[in-house]
Amino acid sequence: MAEPLIAPSLLAGNHARLAESALRAQSSGADWLHVDIMDGHFVPNLTFGPSTLRAIKNEPEFRMPLDVHLMLDNPWKFATPFLDAGADTLTVHVEPADHLPEFFRLMHERGRRAGLALNPPTPWDKMEPWLELCGLVLCMTVNPGFGGQSFISDVLHKIEAAAATRGRLGLNYLIQVDGGIDIHTARLCREAGADVFVAGTSLYSQADMQQAVQKLRSTVTAKSA
Ligand code: DX5
Ligand code: ZN
């Protein structure tokens, strides 16, 4: 199992002060910055575009890897703009499965980590044709669209399936969880096999975000996890 990584979700930051919120995640000692991109169609909400991502990437002092989660009906249309803007990991959903071969080819050519996500109701089988091409598998632990929702514990079985399939096929994708992650749910996800912990509300809502990241990290690195 890989060392756990903590990825604060900028969605829970201050949208009038995004650079400050990004730097707050960095100085808290977290590993990646998770950036949620929503189109108002695939999910009922709107967030950021490529120019926002580029501005964060270009912010002096900012050097975290950018983990970009595309919740779009047509992610293929925006893959190149988000890579050009500085995405280090780019994750698309398996549900609008159009253009997935082109997406994986592009990610391979550009040498960036390709992520594939599935929503809570989507069966694990849908992922199987693509797993050899994945650098990351995102098991959504809420129905995407908004921060602050409750963790869906049924997804733990899917995380276990992701970990078992990885072992069986000898693959090395990271397993990411996103939605309702706090010290309690993160521990359950770690036990099921997760490596990358996206957390918005549970980290940004704390006055001392550094301490919150430390707590989350020690929970998921604990020996019994
Ligand atoms: C939900 C997003 C998440 C969101 C998580 O659609 O993909 O990344 O920011 O927020 P919390 O941690 O508040 O559930
Ligand atoms: Zn996300």
Side-chain angles (χ1 to χ4, degrees):
M1 227 170 161
E3 276 296 298
L5 297 171
I6 310 291
S9 174
L10 191 61
L11 188 66
N14 180 338
H15 288 221
R17 298 175 187 273
L18 286 176
E20 224 171 76
S21 297
L23 290 167
R24 192 172 163 222
Q26 177 169 291
S27 56
S28 73
D31 302 291
W32 296 355
L33 185 69
H34 184 84
V35 185
D36 288 304
I37 312 297
M38 304 185 185
D39 66 352
H41 292 276
F42 183 66
V43 289
N45 198 2
L46 291 166
T47 55
F48 319 113
S51 53
T52 313
L53 192 79
R54 185 186 300 276
I56 293 167
K57 185 84 174 182
N58 290 341
E59 186 64 19
E61 310 292 317
F62 183 77
R63 32 173 205 283
M64 296 178 94
L66 287 169
D67 171 35
V68 179
H69 176 192
L70 299 184
M71 283 160 276
L72 309 175
D73 265 346
N74 188 355
W76 174 240
K77 189 170 165 191
F78 291 97
T80 296
F82 279 105
L83 288 175
D84 290 345
D88 295 284
T89 296
L90 195 58
T91 297
V92 300
H93 274 254
V94 72
E95 292 86 6
D98 295 358
H99 300 287
L100 282 178
E102 292 94 327
F103 168 72
F104 284 112
R105 200 173 314 126
L106 173 72
M107 297 302 284
H108 184 74
E109 279 165 17
R110 299 285 296 257
R112 314 280 177 90
R113 184 183 284 106
L116 192 62
L118 82 170
N119 285 336
T122 304
W124 170 250
D125 300 4
K126 264 207 119 179
M127 300 290 276
E128 289 188 343
W130 309 105
L131 292 174
E132 281 182 24
L133 302 169
C134 290
L136 178 146
V137 163
L138 167 51
C139 295
M140 286 303 301
T141 43
V142 296
N143 288 303
F146 300 92
Q149 303 184 77
S150 299
F151 179 81
I152 299 173
S153 56
D154 284 357
V155 181
L156 289 168
H157 299 297
K158 219 178 272 177
I159 300 165
E160 285 165 0
T165 311
R166 178 173 62 185
R168 182 165 46 82
L169 301 181
L171 300 176
N172 58 6
Y173 51 78
L174 296 170
I175 301 173
Q176 184 176 52
V177 288
D178 180 11
I181 298 297
D182 59 21
I183 52 171
H184 305 291
T185 57
R187 187 178 181 86
L188 299 175
C189 291
R190 182 64 173 170
E191 286 166 359
D195 310 293
V196 187
F197 300 83
V198 176
T201 308
S202 72
L203 296 179
Y204 274 103
S205 67
Q206 301 303 310
D208 188 340
M209 190 164 166
Q210 185 172 10
Q211 191 185 61
V213 167
Q214 269 167 12
K215 263 197 191 166
L216 186 56
R217 197 187 293 287
S218 62
T219 302
V220 291
T221 35
K223 280 263 180 302
S224 54

